[in-house]
Amino acid sequence: MIHLTLNQISAYIDAELPEASVELVRLHLSSCLECTERFGHIEEQESALARLLVNEPGDPFFARFAERVLGPEPVKRAEPEKRAEAARAEPLKKAQAVRAVPPPKEAPTPREAPPPKAAPKPAAAVPKAADRVTGSAPRKAGVARILLPVGALLIVLSAAAVIAIRPRIPQISFAPADRRPPLAAAQARPPRDSPPSPEAAPHGPAEGSDPLERAAAKSSEAERAGTAEAHDAAAAAWEEALPELEQNADELAAGRHEIAAARYAAWSRTATPERRDAAMRAVRAYLLCAPAGAERDRAWTWLAELKR
Amino acid sequence: MAESKSAETLWMDEALETERVRAAQQGDREAYRQLIRHYERPVYRLAYALTRNHDEATALAIETFTRGLAEISRLPEGKRFFPWLLRFARNLSVTRARRRADAGAKGPGAAPAPAPESSPVELEQRLLDALGELRPDEQMALALKVGERLSYADIATLLDHSAGVTLSRLSSARALLLTRTREGIGDLS
């Protein structure tokens, strides 16, 4: 028997064969086990390729993309000084909101800014694993864009941001109790019943302007509520925050891990086809940038479970 | 069978694109920003399909547009911007892959031998390993087929060859991937 060539199977799969040839291929496939098997393998491969080669980072990513090629869009109207002033004050305002310390009356100028040693806890003392999603790098990038020439302020603000956000991250846990996130990350987090850190967001579930703060708040809510919907919301918040982490590969991987864990947790609480698809996409996105280790191994088991 | 997507939504209106390109050639960065905004998604998707990594895809897409900006004055009159830009993506992707290989990363021929049985997860792992072995033109055709679901004719237009060449490249890419991920398939020609 003459078998189908791979060109014929390819064109058939891609709907590029003329109608007459389509009928011939169908006829052959109905009677040839070998070609049917090969066709099945290629179809399966195409599905896997579609999962592996397609990624949609979402609108927040593209909202800033052109800027990353060309720099910021020129300001069209007046009041540039006001904008610059507001931008300078923004990182500190975020840090103050999280730390719950009395804010200074005015945003400090570069020369007035306190030195890093004034911070309550030096960044070097932060546990390494807990440092993964601190959001410090994006903050640095944001500040650098605004005040590139002012190196001193950049350092001070970065230190403030690290200190401000650090305590939130260890409290995040998305997976249900029996499907905990990776051991390393879990170990870096305080026990579930430990009292909340006084440095943690003091105003309850924050709906602030910082996507990282929002994501952290949603994670805490998901942890408390334990519902699929809450984990959905946490995943969505982390997806929104992801562009904040793009400056640093480790942080980005950690962010993608949080999304994957939240999506998986939502699916494991209340399984729906949509949650399964979302979880599979999130886990795959994480696996593609995940460093080797227990977290990555665990994610593979999530993927296997989702595919069952 | 997979239905192909129309490429119409992919393209910027030709007259508008020509106007933007001309302005960009005169040094109007905002005109180039408009070109970026129109083509950033397909360029990113292509970059992702070529690199399978968000960070690398982002860097490749940014570098592609940056190179396009630097070379925009050389875009011949009457030639469309997008296919011209894709050549930079292709070449930069090759350069990056070579750099990775030189740095000791897994290169062509280093894929692990396939096991007789494979779960979907294992299949994906093997595909990830095998994708790096495809030739750049095969990768481009596969990326546009899988990522954009374009017809052979559209892919041919973008890559500046014939629809027959598109079929040939897709088939050879699929054959190699099958060989790397399966055993006992036999002659795939």
Side-chain angles (χ1 to χ4, degrees), chain A residues 7 14 51 59 252 288, chain B residues 41 48 55 124 152 171 182:
Chain A
N7 273 2
D14 294 332
R51 293 192 295 270
D59 291 342
L252 183 69
L288 289 172
Chain B
R41 288 171 191 265
Y48 185 86
D55 293 337
E124 288 183 13
Y152 289 178
S171 294
R182 304 270 177 189

Side-chain angles (χ1 to χ4, degrees), chain A residues 4-16 22 26 34 38 41-46 48-59 61-63 65-74 246 248-249 252 256 284-285 288-289 296 300 303-304 307, chain B residues 1-4 29-30 32-34 36-37 40-41 44-45 48-49 52-55 58 61-62 65-66 69 118 120-121 123-125 127-128 131 142-143 145-147 150-153 167-168 170-175 177-178 181-182 185-189:
Chain A
L4 296 174
T5 66
L6 201 63
N7 273 2
Q8 287 173 315
I9 296 177
S10 276
Y12 178 71
I13 283 178
D14 294 332
E16 296 272 357
V22 169
R26 280 186 184 146
E34 192 175 322
R38 183 180 300 178
H41 286 320
I42 296 174
E43 275 211 318
E44 188 183 355
Q45 180 171 286
E46 288 300 298
L49 284 172
R51 293 192 295 270
L52 290 173
L53 301 186
V54 180
N55 184 48
E56 289 286 350
D59 291 342
F61 171 79
F62 288 111
F65 183 85
E67 189 178 312
R68 294 169 75 171
V69 179
L70 293 172
E73 207 165 354
E246 277 168 2
N248 180 299
L252 183 69
R256 287 192 180 279
R284 284 195 189 100
L288 289 172
C289 63
R296 188 175 193 276
W300 279 113
L303 191 58
K307 286 185 170 182
Chain B
M1 290 193 297
E3 289 297 326
S4 295
R29 290 167 72 85
E30 293 316 298
Y32 194 73
R33 194 185 297 275
Q34 297 302 315
I36 294 175
R37 288 207 171 128
E40 60 193 3
R41 288 171 191 265
Y44 170 85
R45 284 195 294 263
Y48 185 86
R52 280 84 66 191
N53 177 290
H54 174 72
D55 293 337
T58 304
I62 290 172
F65 280 110
T66 304
L69 178 62
S118 66
V121 173
L123 174 63
E124 288 183 13
Q125 279 179 303
L127 277 173
L128 281 174
L131 281 163
L142 194 66
K145 184 73 222 169
V146 175
L150 296 178
S151 69
Y152 289 178
L167 170 61
S168 164
L170 284 172
S171 294
S172 59
R174 284 164 173 159
L177 295 178
L178 269 181
T181 55
R182 304 270 177 189
I185 298 290
D187 180 17
L188 295 167
S189 59

Side-chain angles (χ1 to χ4, degrees), chain A residues 24-44:
Chain A
L24 287 175
V25 168
R26 280 186 184 146
L27 197 64
H28 181 85
L29 286 175
S30 67
S31 60
C32 178
L33 198 63
E34 192 175 322
C35 285
T36 304
E37 190 182 7
R38 183 180 300 178
F39 175 73
H41 286 320
I42 296 174
E43 275 211 318
E44 188 183 355

